[in-house]
Amino acid sequence: MLFKIIGTLVVGFLGGTVAKRLKMPAAFMTGSMLAVAVFSIITNEMFMPGSLKVIAQVVSGAYIGQQVSKQDLLNFPKLAKSIVLLMTFFTINTFVMGFLFARFFSIDLVTALLSCLPGGIMDVSLISIDMGAQAEIVATMQLARLVGMLLILPYWISFILKRLGKDEPKPEPEKSTLKKSLTFGTNRKISNNLLILVVSGIGGLLGMYLQIPVGALIFSLIFSCGLKLLKNTAPLNNKIRQLAQILAGSIIGSTFTLDSLEQISQLLVPACLLLGSYLFINVLFGFIVYKRGILDLRSALFASSPAGATDISLIAGELGGDMPKIAGIQICRTLYTIIVLPILVRLVVNE
């Protein structure tokens, strides 16, 4: 059994490395998942205990928590109504599309609902394992959403702006009123990473002890965020998150079988419908926020795009956008998807 676990991790690592070289989105997650899935289908020898997902959840929560800054908190009061509106749209879309997929595409309800969450591949996939959903279907739908949005979004926003004559010049970035502070642990990267992981790990253990759905992920995120705001810790080393992505991808990939492969081939239509629904929300929210004068249209469209918060912020920076506000809304989307929506899904499914 131990040799199977080691072999699975090796395959996952190689798959993630190849995907990184090919510049795939979420490379280590998707690459490891695809590589392990292929070997699992061919050999039926891939194995990863689901209990290891806790490690990936803690690291994921630690990483996300470190993305929240004091500047983001300063922007939240100005954006509160817009954030509530966007989360309402995402919630309605999750349940409408989820019930649609469960009714017409023979997907069980919890899998269908989680497939529609507007969160990260790794985070939502870990949640799906924790909630007993078909993780391979959820991960595939999440991958389709992420890849589709990242490929379409720049052209989609450019098309809308040019069509409406709103292709405005790039807004000037807001000057921060915060004093530049020394980053804790800059010269002590190892101790900085250890501190973040220990604090996040304590939070994860508390979440498990309280038996809250996805508790390890939620509480590690909260503890990591608190540490960031109190100590201004340096960002968690990205290689640690990449290892967690390989672990999570390997766990999901090892669940693939020939039967699940046949199921996945039937997901093309649901994936296209899901992308279409998010593009509709993107335009609707963008116009509402723009008309209220809260954000320029370009920034509003970027802010409501359900792709990776980091990816969207980087794209927005290149193509023009109010990055602090976009990042603030994107972080709220990530937190809402991880903390609130899984609880709502569980309540609905258990009724």
Side-chain angles (χ1 to χ4, degrees):
M1 193 69 69
L2 178 61
F3 288 110
K4 281 189 176 182
I5 294 174
I6 294 173
T8 302
L9 286 173
V10 169
V11 171
F13 175 77
L14 293 175
T17 302
V18 171
K20 182 68 174 178
R21 289 184 177 274
L22 295 175
K23 297 182 179 180
M24 292 176 60
F28 286 95
M29 175 73 183
T30 56
S32 60
M33 181 183 73
L34 292 174
V36 172
V38 169
F39 273 81
S40 180
I41 292 169
I42 295 174
T43 68
N44 199 32
E45 291 294 320
M46 298 288 97
F47 174 75
M48 286 294 292
S51 57
L52 292 180
K53 70 180 183 292
V54 174
I55 298 174
Q57 286 179 330
V58 168
V59 174
S60 181
Y63 182 85
I64 295 171
Q66 292 297 303
Q67 307 306 304
V68 181
S69 68
K70 292 180 180 179
Q71 182 63 54
D72 296 324
L73 295 182
L74 289 178
N75 283 322
F76 288 158
K78 305 175 188 175
L79 301 171
K81 291 182 180 179
S82 299
I83 291 171
V84 170
L85 176 65
L86 183 60
M87 298 310 109
T88 301
F89 284 161
F90 281 152
T91 302
I92 293 172
N93 188 70
T94 294
F95 286 97
V96 169
M97 299 305 293
F99 278 104
L100 179 69
F101 295 161
R103 175 69 177 82
F104 295 103
F105 295 96
S106 302
I107 304 174
D108 67 274
L109 184 56
V110 66
T111 299
L113 291 171
L114 293 178
S115 295
C116 299
L117 294 190
I121 296 176
M122 178 178 173
D123 310 316
V124 177
S125 299
L126 289 170
I127 290 170
S128 71
I129 297 172
D130 207 43
M131 295 180 66
Q134 292 176 276
E136 68 277 9
I137 292 179
V138 174
T140 302
M141 289 290 285
Q142 289 292 323
L143 177 61
R145 173 188 56 78
L146 175 63
V147 173
M149 290 303 298
L150 292 179
L151 290 177
I152 295 171
L153 192 62
Y155 306 101
W156 172 254
I157 292 178
S158 178
F159 169 77
I160 293 174
L161 293 174
K162 289 180 179 178
R163 190 67 179 263
L164 298 174
K166 302 292 184 183
D167 199 7
E168 305 134 329
K170 298 180 183 180
E172 291 295 324
E174 293 184 358
K175 293 183 179 179
S176 174
T177 57
L178 294 173
K179 293 182 179 180
K180 189 174 181 181
S181 56
L182 294 174
T183 304
F184 178 87
T186 300
N187 298 319
R188 294 179 295 168
K189 294 180 180 179
I190 295 178
S191 61
N192 179 80
N193 291 330
L194 283 175
L195 176 63
I196 294 171
L197 291 174
V198 168
V199 171
S200 301
I202 293 172
L205 291 174
L206 177 61
M208 291 177 62
Y209 175 76
L210 295 175
Q211 297 184 334
I212 295 173
V214 206
L217 180 60
I218 294 172
F219 277 82
S220 62
L221 188 157
I222 293 172
F223 275 50
S224 176
C225 180
L227 179 65
K228 172 70 175 180
L229 296 176
L230 289 173
K231 292 289 188 179
N232 195 24
T233 43
L236 187 67
N237 191 311
N238 199 45
K239 292 188 181 299
I240 297 175
R241 177 168 167 82
Q242 289 170 357
L243 290 174
Q245 288 178 325
I246 291 171
L247 177 60
S250 298
I251 293 172
I252 296 166
S254 65
T255 65
F256 276 74
T257 63
L258 282 174
D259 291 336
S260 61
L261 185 63
E262 292 175 4
Q263 277 188 314
I264 289 169
S265 66
Q266 302 171 6
L267 295 177
L268 180 60
V269 174
C272 290
L273 289 174
L274 186 61
L275 273 175
S277 70
Y278 277 124
L279 289 174
F280 173 74
I281 290 174
N282 181 247
V283 173
L284 180 61
F285 174 83
F287 272 102
I288 292 174
V289 172
Y290 169 68
K291 290 295 183 181
R292 290 182 178 179
I294 299 171
L295 287 171
D296 63 277
L297 184 56
R298 185 194 307 271
S299 297
L301 292 171
F302 275 119
S304 56
S305 302
T310 303
D311 300 319
I312 291 297
S313 297
L314 291 174
I315 294 173
E318 291 181 11
L319 300 182
D322 192 336
M323 287 190 64
K325 291 181 180 178
I326 292 171
I329 293 176
Q330 287 289 329
I331 288 170
C332 283
R333 172 184 61 81
T334 302
L335 297 178
Y336 182 78
T337 300
I338 293 173
I339 296 174
V340 179
L341 279 178
I343 296 174
L344 295 180
V345 168
R346 188 177 288 266
L347 290 173
V348 169
V349 171
N350 289 339
E351 280 186 355

